[in-house]
Amino acid sequence: MRKNIFILILILISAVTLGTCSSDNEEFKICANKCPEESPWKVESLNLGLPCFSTKEACLEWAAKNGYGDKPCIECD
């Protein structure tokens, strides 16, 4: 049982690490899935079902209306 928990934790850590976006200021950002080039903005969350937006303002507006107001919008490329 402990071996299974250890493997699960290792997989979760790997998924978060491999799913991060790099940026110029070396800030740690989580991009659970990539967005298309024309809509690079996304609410920073591990939820894979969140939409992508063409502007940060549209992203923040959607986040506020849908219960993600405490999460920042980040540019995932």
Side-chain angles (χ1 to χ4, degrees):
M1 181 70 177
R2 287 184 184 217
K3 183 179 179 182
N4 291 340
I5 292 173
F6 177 74
I7 291 172
L8 181 62
I9 290 172
L10 192 62
I11 290 171
L12 290 173
I13 290 172
S14 298
V16 170
T17 303
L18 293 175
T20 58
C21 296
S22 61
S23 65
D24 293 339
N25 59 4
E26 298 301 320
E27 184 180 314
F28 183 77
K29 296 191 282 185
I30 298 171
C31 292
N33 63 341
K34 301 297 179 185
C35 290
E37 241 180 74
E38 64 274 2
S39 301
W41 291 95
K42 183 174 185 74
V43 175
E44 185 173 23
S45 172
L46 291 177
N47 185 344
L48 296 176
L50 298 181
C52 299
F53 301 91
S54 58
T55 65
K56 186 175 185 177
E57 292 76 26
C59 178
L60 290 170
E61 184 179 320
W62 182 91
K65 288 181 182 177
N66 292 281
Y68 291 92
D70 61 329
K71 303 281 186 184
C73 285
I74 55 174
E75 191 172 15
C76 295
D77 38 86

